[in-house]
Each structure stands twice: as C-alpha cells, then as structure tokens.
Amino acid sequence: MSRHPVSTGAAMHLAGYRALGLDFTYIPFAVTDVEGATRGMRALGIRGLGVSMPYKQAVIPLLDEIDPVAARIGAVNTIVNDEGRLRGYNTDWIGAVRALEEVTQLGGARVLLLGAGGAARAVAFGLAERGAAITIANRDLEKARQLAAAVGGRRCPSTARRPRPSTASS
C-alpha cells in the first residue's frame, strides 16, 4: 500500500519468496484511499500488505490489533490478515537490529544513532527493545530530544560549530 509504488520492492519480495520456496506473489498497489484499501484487504482475503509512507501512521486506527513494538514506534509497515482480523507490525527495525546482532551484543551496548526521522525512529525503538543505551544525534535538536525521551535514551549535546578565532594579524 503506497502512494507511489516502485518495482524494486516487488523484485526484492519476489526474489525472497523464490529463495524460500514460498508460493507467494507480491503486487504493488498505488493507493489513495487507505480506508478503502484496508476494507478491500479484509474483504478479498489478501493475506498481507506492505505499507509505505505516507500511510504508516494513517493505517493504525483501521486495524484490529497492533504489535506492541509497532505501537511504541507509532508506525506500521506490515499488515497481516488472519481470517479477517488485521494485525499491524513494524518490521523496519528488525533488519537493522539483526544485522547489528550478527556482529555485537546489543544488550548494554552504547549506540550512537545518527538521525531522528522515520527509519531512525524504528531503529531506535528496536535498539531499546534489545537493551542498548542510545544516544541520538540529529540536526534538529528538538527531534533528537523527543526521540531520545521516547526510547529512554539521550540526545547528543549540540555540536554547532563556533567561529574560529581570526589568525590574520593587522
């Protein structure tokens, strides 16, 4: 469910299904009516939908259930239809967290996260879920502060550049 679906997502999903031997297909839908698309998913028995911006928050009130991590993140990117009951998940954080877990233990790790936008928000909640101590650095210090507060982390102190003293002599 996207306003402007791209073929890359379909190619990636189809390759994954083939590699796993799953008899699934992936069809990108250009959607302008989120409520209608959600009703259609339920009515047609569509098993799952991927959700992209700008619908990751708009779809939440239309679902029957929200995964606890998705609820804390405040965004859903995957909807699963279990016999007409729609449950929302956020899987954006999972890939990043799993990749990090391949090389380090996240519980108790100190992590500097650059950014406080949508993807960073999902990753920050995933890191917090795994017990990492998170410091958020972002150009917009207020967004960094808000995200840090939401995940129990801290905002990186301002790193605004100060003018250098003049070295030229008169």
Side-chain angles (χ1 to χ4, degrees):
M1 179 184 316
S2 174
R3 184 172 289 161
H4 305 287
V6 294
S7 60
T8 310
M12 179 181 66
H13 282 84
L14 291 170
Y17 299 152
R18 278 192 306 275
L20 295 170
L22 299 172
D23 187 23
F24 293 173
T25 193
Y26 183 94
I27 302 168
F29 294 105
V31 171
T32 55
D33 178 2
V34 177
E35 188 174 344
T38 307
R39 279 194 320 271
M41 176 186 192
R42 195 185 309 265
L44 294 170
I46 296 171
R47 180 72 170 118
L49 279 179
V51 181
S52 67
M53 293 304 288
Y55 303 130
K56 291 181 179 189
Q57 293 171 324
V59 76
I60 290 175
L62 306 173
L63 304 176
D64 300 308
E65 237 179 295
I66 309 269
D67 172 75
V69 177
R72 287 194 298 280
I73 293 169
V76 163
N77 75 332
T78 301
I79 304 171
V80 175
N81 182 352
D82 284 319
E83 299 178 5
R85 186 158 180 79
L86 305 183
R87 182 171 170 115
Y89 297 89
N90 187 304
T91 62
D92 288 336
W93 68 274
I94 295 171
V97 166
R98 285 186 182 165
L100 289 169
E101 286 176 330
E102 286 182 11
V103 295
T104 192
Q105 171 107 11
L106 291 177
R110 296 181 322 166
V111 177
L112 173 62
L113 182 62
L114 304 178
R121 183 174 178 83
V123 171
F125 275 90
L127 291 168
E129 188 77 11
R130 294 296 200 261
I134 308 159
T135 300
I136 315 268
N138 193 57
R139 288 175 295 190
D140 182 330
L141 296 178
E142 180 57 21
K143 280 182 79 173
R145 186 199 62 73
Q146 289 173 358
L147 180 55
V151 299
R154 64 187 200 97
R155 176 186 59 82
C156 193
S158 173
T159 56
R161 292 185 184 175
R162 295 189 177 108
R164 290 189 208 171
S166 175
T167 57
S169 53
S170 3

